[in-house]
Amino acid sequence: MSKSFIATSIVTLSLILSSWLPYLSPGKWWLSGFAGLFFPIILVINLIFLAYWLFRKKPYWGLSLAGILLSSRALLVTFGHHPGGNKATPQTGHFTIMTFNSSSMGLKRYEEDTDLKQSIYTTLLSASPDILCIQEFYTNSGPDHTDHLGAIQEKLHYPYQYFTCDKTRWNTWKYGIVLFSKYPIISACHIPSGHSDVGSGSSILQADIKINEHIIRVFTAQLQSYMFRRKDYAALQGETTQAKGLISRMKHTFGKRAAQAEQLAALIKESPYPTIVCGDFNDTPVSYTYNTIAPGLKDAFLEQGWGIGRTLSFLAPTLRIDYILTQSPFHINGFSSFPHKGFEHFPIMASLSL
């Protein structure tokens, strides 16, 4: 057995495992939590092998091609196939919804980054979505601080809002998930889903909204984050010896996020109204999280987007972890991303109609 055959077989098997292992719950099979993270990288390696063996006219190309075909579903949810897809813009009979992990609205170490805050407001004003969902939202009613809750409501003319307020510090520093709407919010609540030090990630926001004669239900959430610190990013890049502890923490996060994904999927199933799910899932499309929540739903990026659809600005260019998913009664008319410099997460927006 030649070394070429062994090497090609290893790469092909790795690709297949990275696409299929994420169907197993990482709460029980923790390796499945890591598998999907490497799918884009292994796919590129496999494509290089395929091109090389085709160029050399060696039969090993069949192995590489088989791996790609057996991983076709993972391919379909990873890449957008609409280079001429429509942008999410206001139109008669349509409404727009945006989801954005604001990373505390520009707050860094309890101090406001004025330039970043202004960039956030400029982006929101420019997009002016009809429904705006923000995770890792921060607002402060104290003196010398920004009341983002009131400011966004006033500047973007939202008559309705609901804030989970999952965490309060020093009486006026408040954190959580918020939903703003230009349409009436009939009812809203937050459903406990765990605990997060940043507040957002402790609950799922559920809101029933009346759009003309229809009532729709919106779920928005931030699922369990790894909560990486600066030394953790160094470990990921191989700069320190903290990798063992980092892997242990990731394994623990996989299990908690899997339970939240199952909880959210159950809530979607029980909804009496046409449902939209959006937010920061902290996981890629090739993951147990996505495989649990997305079945039966349409992904706005896949319906109208093109390419990899990156929504996280650091770590890797392949990380699409923020989503807008809809049930079949909704038609997805457009999709836009706002990859602005300085944003940790890029806001995404969809134009929808019933």
Side-chain angles (χ1 to χ4, degrees):
M1 190 177 295
S2 70
K3 292 181 180 179
S4 297
F5 176 79
I6 293 172
T8 306
S9 298
I10 290 172
V11 172
T12 300
L13 181 60
S14 297
L15 182 66
I16 295 169
L17 289 175
S18 71
S19 63
W20 288 100
L21 276 179
Y23 284 93
L24 301 176
S25 172
K28 298 177 180 178
W29 310 91
W30 60 267
L31 276 175
S32 71
F34 287 101
L37 294 173
F38 298 102
F39 175 77
I41 299 170
I42 300 171
L43 174 64
V44 170
I45 295 172
N46 199 80
L47 288 170
I48 292 171
F49 269 69
L50 174 62
Y52 178 75
W53 293 129
L54 283 171
F55 177 76
R56 294 288 303 273
K57 298 181 180 179
K58 297 286 186 179
Y60 303 136
W61 65 265
L63 276 175
S64 300
L65 180 61
I68 293 170
L69 293 176
L70 289 171
S71 306
S72 58
R73 188 191 178 280
L75 273 167
L76 291 174
V77 298
T78 298
F79 300 99
H81 304 93
H82 301 275
N86 297 319
K87 298 297 182 183
T89 55
Q91 295 184 42
T92 303
H94 300 175
F95 68 94
T96 53
I97 181 168
M98 172 183 279
T99 182
F100 176 34
N101 180 328
S102 73
S103 304
S104 299
M105 298 297 293
L107 189 73
K108 296 181 179 179
R109 296 183 180 87
Y110 302 108
E111 292 186 3
E112 290 187 354
D113 183 325
T114 304
D115 291 339
L116 181 55
K117 182 182 74 172
Q118 183 58 49
S119 183
I120 290 171
Y121 273 87
T122 299
T123 301
L124 297 182
L125 283 164
S126 174
S128 192
D130 295 313
I131 301 171
L132 171 62
C133 303
I134 305 180
Q135 306 84 43
E136 284 195 32
F137 181 72
Y138 153 78
T139 188
N140 197 324
S141 58
D144 303 320
H145 297 288
T146 303
D147 176 11
H148 291 292
L149 196 63
I152 291 176
Q153 200 164 9
E154 179 184 349
K155 290 177 184 293
L156 277 81
H157 309 293
Y158 288 117
Y160 311 96
Q161 57 88 5
Y162 181 79
F163 178 39
T164 62
C165 194
D166 293 313
K167 176 182 177 181
T168 301
R169 177 169 283 186
W170 304 309
N171 297 322
T172 62
W173 302 61
K174 298 180 179 181
Y175 305 82
I177 302 173
V178 68
L179 182 148
F180 296 96
S181 176
K182 295 179 181 177
Y183 296 98
I185 297 176
I186 305 302
S187 64
C189 64
H190 64 282
I191 302 163
S193 63
H195 171 75
S196 169
D197 290 338
V198 297
S200 177
S202 302
S203 66
I204 297 167
L205 189 158
Q206 172 185 300
D208 294 339
I209 301 172
K210 188 174 183 180
I211 299 180
N212 301 323
E213 71 275 17
H214 301 285
I215 296 178
I216 69 167
R217 177 163 289 180
V218 176
F219 291 107
T220 183
Q222 179 189 20
L223 303 189
Q224 186 68 34
S225 169
Y226 298 116
M227 296 302 294
F228 288 150
R229 297 183 292 271
R230 187 172 298 179
K231 66 178 182 180
D232 298 322
Y233 293 120
L236 284 170
Q237 296 169 2
E239 297 175 9
T240 73
T241 58
Q242 305 295 323
K244 186 175 180 180
L246 185 61
I247 291 172
S248 177
R249 191 195 310 168
M250 291 178 73
K251 287 163 59 177
H252 179 67
T253 299
F254 291 151
K256 294 182 71 174
R257 191 160 58 229
Q260 289 177 329
E262 291 162 4
Q263 179 186 13
L264 183 52
L267 291 169
I268 297 166
K269 189 175 181 180
E270 294 165 2
S271 173
Y273 305 118
T275 300
I276 301 169
V277 187
C278 65
D280 173 11
F281 292 178
N282 272 306
D283 228 334
T284 65
V286 187
S287 66
Y288 179 78
T289 301
Y290 188 88
N291 290 337
T292 300
I293 298 170
L297 305 178
K298 294 184 288 188
D299 187 322
F301 168 73
L302 297 181
E303 292 288 318
Q304 292 286 349
W306 167 250
I308 200 77
R310 180 186 192 181
T311 65
L312 190 69
S313 65
F314 55 97
L315 285 181
T318 59
L319 294 178
R320 180 166 78 95
I321 64 175
D322 301 86
Y323 304 90
I324 298 174
L325 310 175
T326 72
Q327 288 183 328
S328 56
F330 292 98
H331 182 69
I332 299 170
N333 305 295
F335 175 86
S336 296
S337 176
F338 302 84
H340 293 307
K341 185 178 180 180
F343 289 6
E344 290 188 8
H345 289 252
F346 301 142
I348 57 174
M349 185 167 75
S351 173
L352 309 174
S353 58
L354 277 163

